[in-house]
Structure formats: structure tokens, C-alpha cells
Amino acid sequence: MIASTSSRQRRLWTGVPALTSWLAGLAIWEVAAQLTAGNFIIAGPFEVSAHIWMNAGLLSRAMAATLKAATLGFVYGNIAAVILAASVFLAPRTERLILALALLIFCLPLVATGPILRVLFGSGGGPQITLAALAVYYTTFLSLMVGLRAVPQSWPDLVRSYGRGRMAELFHIRIMASVPYFVAGLQIAAPAAFLGAMVGEFTGAERGMGVLTIRAMRGLDVPATWALALLAAMISMLAYGILGWIGRKLVTAPPAVLLSAPSAQQRQPIWQRSAMALLIIVTALLLWQGLMDVFGANRFFAKRPADIWQFLISAPDAIANQEKLLTAYGETLTFAIPGYLTGLLLGATLAGCITLLPGLAATVLPIAIALRSVPIITTAPLIVLALGRGAVGTITIIAVMIFFPTLVACLQGLRQTPGQIVEVFDSYAAGRLRLLVFARIPAMLPALFASARMAIPAALLAVTTAEWLATGKGIGSLMALTASTSDYNMLWSAIVLLSVTASLVYVVLEQLEQIVLRIYASEQLSR
């Protein structure tokens, strides 16, 4: 009885900093709204609450429509992620091909694919559900791949000693080892699914929060915009909390000591790597051509590889087309690269600070979840209004998009430091900083690299969305313009260019990852 009372008291005192942070946040929000009154930037909490109360019926119907599409997309996307991860583990030789194709599909900009899906599906929820699924499957897939490999080598050796194969290894040891990473992937995916559904509604849906967001932004209805952003954040935060609670219930054992020896894995000969790259390119082109032909997609809007080749290489005006595309592309990269690096650095640094000072979690995590949970399609115009259309505003949008997934992934990685190692450091009174530098950060590295890979397409999504909705520059603005003017050759060319860019950056990052993990997390390089 005494222990139960003590436990309740600890939970009560733990909740005090969080409650204080929320109250302070509301006060700062209201003060900022009063100071910027008339600038069409911030609506205060009282004004937003009044708007929600007066439009409760309309908002509830829109929220139900968007939530339905986001939920279905979340389920379908994560089922696809599980199937892909299991396929890679059971057939290791397919890993590079599956990873490359999954990345290419994930890199398709929502700004560009939304209008195409609307033409293919017509009216209804098809585009919303599809975009929500596309927004989540890759992040969960990468998280699962890290988790499936986070086991001591002695465990699969034991399974094989009994004459069992990879299927038994997957079900008996790998699945349970992957649960913490899977939950982290689901937590990252929840806000992404809501974003995908809202972007799908931007393309011509009849109802949903995306439809109301478009109306609010076009009418400069700041209270409505903030009300929609607040509701989206609350839904995403609730999903994040529920998934985290489920994860804590499922994972009760401390992380295992992996004890992996430094990898002696040999690099593939250059001819094998070249053959795999050629296979990936050919497979991607065949899938592109095949899907368009199987569905009988109209060639006016559903371009094939030959159409893009002609548009950029063999057409009389190909040089002009290249210049137009590359000019916009250069403007986009100018903001995407610093935004990407800033987001990664911010997420990893915050994770380390929370580990050193656990009390910060009550203040930092709610703010971080709120920033990431609010869909970028509502925050991008507001951030640009506040910080301007130049580098600061756009880089901030990209960093906000990236830092939360990095924070969640890095926190999960830091928590995977085995308890036995922590106890050794404690026995020498080494302190939290030494423990962080020499034990927790090496344990975090697989999660950090996974989040860095996830962030490549996320950075491109963020910068193109900001260009589409707010700045009017770069390749995002070009795609929006070409979609509205039915210049589908330029639209598809932009999609191809962004996908190739993400793939190249991914390859460079993968090479760096192998160099680092060969020393600190050799089990992640096993096939």
C-alpha cells in the first residue's frame, strides 16, 4: 500500500514540469499573438478556441474524413514496410534492389504525385490514402531493418546449431529484438500519415482538413489556420503517446549486450557493384514503363521514360528545358542542404541533452512533438510570414521537418545502451557525460544513420512544399506551376531529378555508414 502511494506521488510530481511547460507555452503563445496582432501571423489560444467552438460541426466532419484516410494509409504503409523488411531478411541478396526501389518510390514528391494520383483515382479517398501510405512505409522499413539486426551474434548461431533456418531465426529472435525500433518507426510515421492525407486533400478532395486549410490560407483566415494546425497536432500527439505506451508495455527486458567483433566484411568487386547499379536502373525503368502500360494511363499526364528522354535530351528545345529545370534545382539545393544538416544536428543534440538532463524531457518533448505534429502545409506559410521568404525561413521549415524523426530515433538508440555497460560506468563513478560519449553515442549510431537516411527524402519534401506554398521559388514552385498548366513533361522531369538526387545522397551516406558501423555496430552490416 505504501509502495503504491509512493508510486502515485512520483507520477504526480513527474507531471508537474510537463503541466508547467504547457501553461508557460500557452502564455507565450497568447503574448506573441497580442504583439503581432494585425500582421496575419499568429492567432492566440483564446481566439483559436473560440473558432473551434463556433465551427465544431464542420471541423469534426473534416477531421473524421482526414483521420479515416490517414489511418488507412498508416495501416497499409506499415504492412508494406513489414513485408519489405521480412523479404530483405529472408532473401539477403535482394536487399540493395529492394532498398533502392523503396527509396525511389519514397522520394516521389507529394507535391507532384498528388495531382497525378487525383487523375488516376478520380474523386474519393484514393489519393489521400495512397499518399498517407507512401509517407510512412519507408521510415518504418528502415527502423525495422535496424531492429532486426540488433541481436547478439550468439543468438542466431544458437538457432542455426539446431538446424533451423532464417525463418525460425526471424520469428524466434529477430522480431522481438526489433520491437523497440518498430515502435519508434510507428511514432515517426503517425504525423507523416496525417500529412500525407492532408496533401492528398489539397489535390481536389471534397472534404477534409486539407480542404479547409486551403480555404483558410487563401482567405488569410489566421484563426482557422491555427485551429486546423492545433487539431492536427493534438491527433498526432495522441497517436504518438498511445504508440509509446504500447511500446513500453511490449518491451520490458533491458537491451542485450551485442558484443560484435569489428567487421571483416569484404567490399564487393567494382564489377558486382556496377552490375547491381545497372540492375536497379533497369528494374526502375521497367517498373515505371510497366505500371503506366498496365493501368493504361493516358500518356498526356502519365509520362514514360522515353518521353522524359525526348523532353530533356533529343527535343529541339531540350537545352532550354534543361536550363529551366536546373535553375530551379539549384535554388532548391541551396536551402535543402543546410536545412538537412541543421535538422540532423538539432535532433541528435536534443537527444543527447535529454539523456544528460532527463528533466528536460518534460519541456522539450511536448514542444518537439507539437512542432512536428503540425502538418508542414499549415506551418510553412506561417513560418515564412514570420521569418521571410529568404534562407532563414526555408531552412527553418526543413529543420523542423527533420529534427523530430531524428530526435525520436536517437533517443531510442541512446536507450539501447545495455544495462550491464551502464552499471560498469556507474561503478567507476564515470558520470553521465562520459557514459554518453563512450557508451550511449556508439549505441545510438545505427539509429542516427537510419534517421539520416530517412531525412533525405524528408528534406526534399519540406523544401518543395515550402517553395510550393510560400516562397514561390525553386523546383517545388516549378512543379506546382507545371501541374496547374498541364506541363507534365517538366513535372515528371522534376520528379526524376529529385529521385536521382536522393538516391545519390543515399549512396554516399551508406558508404559513410558502413565505415563507421564496421567499428561500432558490426551486427548492422550482417546480411
Side-chain angles (χ1 to χ4, degrees):
M1 183 67 179
I2 295 174
S4 176
T5 303
S6 176
S7 177
R8 284 196 298 269
Q9 288 176 344
R10 283 197 301 269
R11 287 196 298 268
L12 178 62
W13 283 110
T14 302
V16 169
L19 178 61
T20 304
S21 299
W22 281 106
L23 293 176
L26 289 173
I28 294 171
W29 180 7
E30 181 63 33
V31 170
Q34 295 298 328
L35 293 175
T36 59
N39 292 339
F40 299 100
I41 296 177
I42 301 177
F46 294 107
E47 192 176 6
V48 171
S49 301
H51 179 87
I52 294 174
W53 177 261
M54 294 172 60
N55 299 275
L58 175 64
L59 291 172
S60 61
R61 290 190 296 272
M63 188 165 56
T66 305
L67 186 57
K68 177 181 178 182
T71 302
L72 290 173
F74 180 83
V75 172
Y76 295 152
N78 285 300
I79 289 175
V82 171
I83 293 173
L84 287 173
S87 300
V88 167
F89 177 76
L90 294 174
R93 294 183 182 274
T94 66
E95 178 177 350
R96 291 191 178 278
L97 180 61
I98 291 177
L99 276 171
L101 295 178
L103 175 66
L104 284 173
I105 295 172
F106 188 63
C107 288
L108 298 176
L110 300 184
V111 179
T113 53
I116 295 172
L117 289 172
R118 180 60 63 186
V119 175
L120 290 174
F121 283 102
S123 60
Q128 296 92 292
I129 297 171
T130 303
L131 288 178
L134 290 175
V136 307
Y137 82 95
Y138 190 72
T139 57
T140 305
F141 171 48
L142 286 185
S143 299
L144 269 174
M145 289 303 301
V146 174
L148 288 173
R149 291 171 176 160
V151 298
Q153 187 57 46
S154 58
W155 292 3
D157 289 345
L158 180 62
V159 172
R160 292 176 195 136
S161 70
Y162 282 91
R164 308 297 295 274
R166 294 183 75 87
M167 183 68 75
E169 183 182 332
L170 175 65
F171 280 96
H172 290 293
I173 62 174
R174 300 279 183 178
I175 287 179
M176 287 308 299
S178 69
V179 169
Y181 296 91
F182 182 48
V183 172
L186 294 179
Q187 289 181 293
I188 296 171
F194 213 80
L195 168 64
M198 289 186 70
V199 172
E201 292 166 350
F202 268 41
T203 62
E206 297 177 354
R207 61 181 64 87
M209 294 180 68
V211 177
L212 295 184
T213 301
I214 284 284
R215 294 177 185 173
M217 290 191 299
R218 287 176 177 172
L220 292 179
D221 190 345
V222 179
T225 302
W226 278 83
L228 291 163
L230 178 63
L231 291 174
M234 291 173 64
I235 293 171
S236 298
M237 291 168 68
L238 179 62
Y240 178 92
I242 291 174
L243 291 168
W245 177 82
I246 293 173
R248 289 190 294 273
K249 293 296 182 181
L250 291 176
V251 182
T252 55
V257 179
L258 301 183
L259 294 177
S260 298
S263 175
Q265 189 180 30
Q266 299 294 321
R267 288 176 60 86
Q268 287 183 325
I270 190 168
W271 70 267
Q272 289 187 3
R273 285 180 282 159
S274 301
M276 177 57 67
L278 181 61
L279 175 62
I280 291 169
I281 293 171
V282 171
T283 304
L285 292 175
L286 290 175
L287 281 174
W288 178 2
Q289 180 76 38
L291 288 173
M292 296 297 102
D293 292 342
V294 167
F295 286 101
N298 191 320
R299 203 161 192 135
F300 174 71
F301 69 87
K303 301 300 180 181
R304 275 65 166 177
D307 299 322
I308 304 307
W309 176 269
Q310 181 180 6
F311 180 74
L312 292 177
I313 304 298
S314 61
D317 57 347
I319 300 298
N321 296 332
Q322 292 176 21
E323 290 179 352
K324 184 177 180 180
L325 180 62
L326 291 177
T327 299
Y329 176 68
E331 294 175 346
T332 296
L333 288 187
T334 301
F335 301 125
I337 294 173
Y340 171 80
L341 297 176
T342 301
L344 286 179
L345 179 62
L346 181 60
T349 302
L350 280 176
C353 291
I354 290 174
T355 303
L356 288 175
L357 303 170
L360 285 177
T363 302
V364 172
L365 281 179
I367 297 173
I369 297 169
L371 284 174
R372 182 58 184 90
S373 299
V374 178
I376 191 173
I377 53 178
T378 58
T379 55
L382 297 174
I383 291 174
V384 169
L385 279 172
L387 301 178
R389 296 177 181 270
V392 176
T394 306
I395 290 173
T396 300
I397 293 170
I398 301 168
V400 167
M401 185 77 173
I402 289 173
F403 94 95
F404 176 72
T406 304
L407 172 63
V408 173
C410 289
L411 277 175
Q412 179 58 46
L414 291 168
R415 291 174 186 143
Q416 291 305 111
T417 308
Q420 298 94 322
I421 294 178
V422 175
E423 290 171 359
V424 170
F425 274 80
D426 289 343
S427 67
Y428 284 93
R432 288 180 177 175
L433 182 59
R434 285 183 176 272
L435 176 63
L436 175 68
V437 172
F438 294 107
R440 293 196 183 277
I441 288 180
M444 179 193 75
L445 288 174
L448 174 62
F449 277 105
S451 63
R453 285 182 281 160
M454 295 178 204
I456 297 169
L460 295 177
L461 167 63
V463 69
T464 52
T465 303
E467 292 167 344
W468 169 36
L469 294 175
T471 67
K473 300 177 182 178
I475 208 166
S477 176
L478 178 64
M479 288 191 295
L481 178 62
T482 53
S484 63
T485 57
S486 300
D487 186 0
Y488 290 106
N489 279 315
M490 182 62 75
L491 179 63
W492 280 84
S493 299
I495 293 173
V496 171
L497 182 58
L498 289 177
S499 298
V500 170
T501 299
S503 300
L504 292 175
V505 176
Y506 186 99
V507 169
V508 173
L509 187 61
E510 185 181 41
Q511 296 302 311
L512 176 61
E513 178 184 29
Q514 289 184 0
I515 293 172
V516 175
L517 296 190
R518 190 173 288 116
I519 300 172
Y520 293 103
S522 182
E523 78 284 346
Q524 292 295 326
L525 302 179
S526 62
R527 296 288 184 261

